[in-house]
Amino acid sequence: MRLLTGSARLAGVIGWPVSHSRSPRIHGTWLERHGIDGAYVPLPVAPENFAAVVRALAQAGFAGANVTIPHKEAAFAVCDRVDETAHRAGAVNTLVFTPQGIEGRNTDGYGFVANLRAHGVNPAAGPALILGAGGAARAIAAALQAEGAAVTLCNRTQDRAEALAAALPSAKVLPWGRRAEALGDYALVVNTTSLGMMHNPPLEMSLERAASGLAVADIVYAPLETALLAEAAQRGLKPVEGLGMLLHQAVPGFTAWFGVTPRVDEELYRIVAA
Ligand code: ATR
């Protein structure tokens, strides 16, 4: 066991609940690997206490924190400064405590794009179809647009897709019922809905109309292979699993807090998937 010194650097993940979070494993693996005098801990914080706890952590010398459900919008409000990625996403998932105040970033879009690239998929290869209209859809849509891809949003509740499209530069909207038949127009399709997640129904969507070489990304990572990804693999398309996004989105925070840029590799996948 690694013992901390009095000058150990500290970070953690703030959520409610937080016991399901895989972030302590990701950061713990990297801390161990690099022999860093530091710790990364789960921080269960109820919504009514969120802002006070963030300020207290900053005052207590923490280097920063990740923020997860349900705090990502509240985290935006508690920051003294937010960067371009947080602005575009309308939410913050990474806090960095600096002498100048609390800085907010959103690394979800970065993680998604980095994971695409790790799978050999060019994010700007062609138009992207994004299923869903929640926070993850917004971060991913904004990141893909920043890479130069044209984005179409498709959500069961079309009003939400339209509201999100209005917040993004020149995004289109496709009716939910047309998602399978329109597939041939896209180079990338992304499931950001909760469909396919453990204990949820699967996403019903035939990939029969897919153009050859379509990249099919799912942000669901439990199970690792969703029915959507299994069909993509079976049809010879390019499946992109969701765990990689979670691993890659953790990189910028770790680098900011602990001063080392960590690696996403097979061993990390094994440890975090277990
Ligand atoms: P996030 O976690 O990204 O912030 P969210 O706001 O919880 O997302 O939304 C979950 C997404 O899954 C939504 O796009 C939701 O569609 P609605 O806006 O119509 O609710 C989608 N979703 C959840 N259950 C669904 C279902 N049975 N069929 C289709 N879409 C579903």
Side-chain angles (χ1 to χ4, degrees):
M1 197 176 79
R2 191 164 32 86
L3 297 176
L4 302 176
T5 73
S7 48
R9 294 186 69 74
L10 302 175
V13 52
I14 309 173
W16 185 255
V18 79
S19 54
H20 65 280
S21 174
R22 305 206 186 187
S23 294
R25 245 179 211 223
I26 300 172
H27 291 274
T29 300
W30 288 334
L31 287 168
E32 193 74 40
R33 224 182 237 184
H34 294 283
I36 291 170
D37 182 24
Y40 182 102
V41 294
L43 298 160
V45 177
E48 62 271 26
N49 298 328
F50 177 76
V53 169
V54 168
R55 291 195 193 98
L57 290 173
Q59 284 164 356
F62 266 58
N66 282 126
V67 176
T68 188
I69 291 166
H71 300 307
K72 288 189 187 184
E73 278 84 19
F76 194 99
V78 86
C79 289
D80 297 305
R81 271 188 316 285
V82 295
D83 77 355
E84 182 61 29
T85 59
H87 261 295
R88 285 199 300 252
V92 160
N93 76 338
T94 303
L95 299 169
V96 181
F97 303 147
T98 75
Q100 290 76 40
I102 301 172
E103 284 180 10
R105 308 178 187 179
N106 191 306
T107 66
D108 286 333
Y110 162 83
F112 179 77
V113 167
N115 188 40
L116 283 184
R117 290 210 167 96
H119 284 78
V121 173
N122 171 5
L129 178 63
I130 299 180
L131 308 176
R138 179 166 174 173
I140 289 169
L144 286 172
Q145 286 189 328
E147 293 291 332
V151 163
T152 298
L153 301 166
C154 179
N155 191 53
R156 173 181 61 179
T157 309
Q158 191 161 329
D159 287 357
R160 289 189 76 202
E162 271 156 17
L164 178 51
L168 294 162
S170 68
K172 292 187 195 148
V173 173
L174 181 76
W176 182 246
R178 295 202 53 224
R179 64 194 184 282
E181 71 190 55
L183 212 49
D185 298 339
Y186 299 96
L188 167 66
V189 59
V190 189
N191 175 39
T192 75
T193 74
S194 44
L195 295 170
M197 205 182 282
M198 230 184 308
H199 312 304
N200 287 17
L203 170 68
E204 312 242 340
M205 180 164 170
S206 163
L207 299 177
E208 200 179 332
R209 301 278 183 91
S212 74
L214 177 75
V216 180
D218 206 325
I219 73 162
V220 168
Y221 57 82
L224 262 181
E225 187 182 58
T226 60
L228 178 71
L229 295 178
E231 187 184 343
Q234 197 190 354
R235 290 185 183 276
L237 305 171
K238 293 183 200 155
V240 179
E241 42 63 44
L243 187 60
M245 172 180 172
L246 182 73
L247 302 179
H248 284 282
Q249 66 76 32
V251 170
F254 189 92
T255 306
W257 307 320
F258 301 111
V260 175
T261 302
R263 246 187 8 262
V264 172
D265 56 15
E266 286 299 320
E267 188 198 31
L268 186 67
Y269 265 91
R270 271 199 307 281
I271 292 169
V272 177

